[in-house]
Amino acid sequence: MSRRAVILAGGMGTRLRPYTVVLPKPLMPIGDYPILEVIIRQLIAGGFQHITLAVNHQAELIKAFFQDGDKWGVRIDYSLEDEPLGTMGPLRLIKDLPENFLVMNGDILTDLNYADFHDAHVRDGNIFTISSKTRQHRIDYGVLDTGESGLLTGFREKPTAEYKVSMGVYMVSSGAVEHIPQRGAYGFDQLMLDLLAAGKPATVRDFAGYWLDIGRPDDYALAIEQFETMQSRFLNG
């Protein structure tokens, strides 16, 4: 099965400053590799033959590093945004997308099996598939439960809530792309709401493995530390 991927690598990386003043976030190193190279190596291991990098901020640095992908034995090309288009807006600029393709953020450290994720979406005929991770969030306060009269009905000291969050990894069908408007910024949240309104909800696929969004300095420091000890988990061989 031929597999195609689009990596969203055009963000400004404002949450990761001051690191991203010099380098775009996808080129920030973890271990011996930029995070984007780790992702590309993982995709290649999963049988993806064609990768498109959707770029904007400091695009020339990214293009100079990856070029046409020949160094890694994969086809790499580029889609350049003239203006910020959000998470899903860049897809409308890519004219040769197949019926089903993977879309992901370019700053994720995970051991997700991209091939299995791709093939399950195709097999099940989903319009859009979201890879999700369960996260726990602790409330740092005592939570008061009250009735209509204002009397206390219960009390919870620093409770923990669980949420399913998007990992920033998606499988997209051409049917979902049809909902993306031709102009303006258009995000993942807007597409999800539009698909719900159209009666075509996305499928959520839970993932129990490792996932870290390298969005803030603390996350970046953790990624560097854990990649050092877990490299074989992310890059087999």
Side-chain angles (χ1 to χ4, degrees), residues 163-181:
Y163 301 94
K164 286 186 179 183
V165 301
S166 167
M167 291 171 51
V169 183
Y170 319 108
M171 278 298 300
V172 186
S173 74
S174 57
V177 176
E178 293 172 1
H179 289 264
I180 300 175

Side-chain angles (χ1 to χ4, degrees), residues 204-234:
V204 177
R205 194 162 187 252
D206 295 335
F207 176 62
Y210 183 96
W211 171 73
L212 181 63
D213 176 1
I214 306 173
R216 299 171 301 179
D218 288 350
D219 300 323
Y220 178 52
L222 181 60
I224 292 173
E225 176 187 335
Q226 295 188 332
F227 187 82
E228 187 71 25
T229 59
M230 301 165 58
Q231 180 170 324
S232 61
R233 183 169 177 176
F234 305 113

Side-chain angles (χ1 to χ4, degrees), residues 12-63:
M12 299 284 287
T14 53
R15 292 184 300 156
L16 204 52
R17 287 179 179 172
Y19 299 113
T20 49
V21 171
V22 177
L23 286 175
K25 184 164 60 170
L27 291 186
M28 294 301 299
I30 56 170
D32 295 330
Y33 310 100
I35 180 60
L36 185 52
E37 183 178 353
V38 172
I39 292 170
I40 287 174
R41 286 174 177 268
Q42 290 175 321
L43 289 172
I44 293 169
F48 287 78
Q49 300 94 4
H50 184 178
I51 299 170
T52 297
L53 303 182
V55 294
N56 183 348
H57 177 63
Q58 295 182 307
E60 293 308 315
L61 289 178
I62 296 174
K63 292 168 75 171

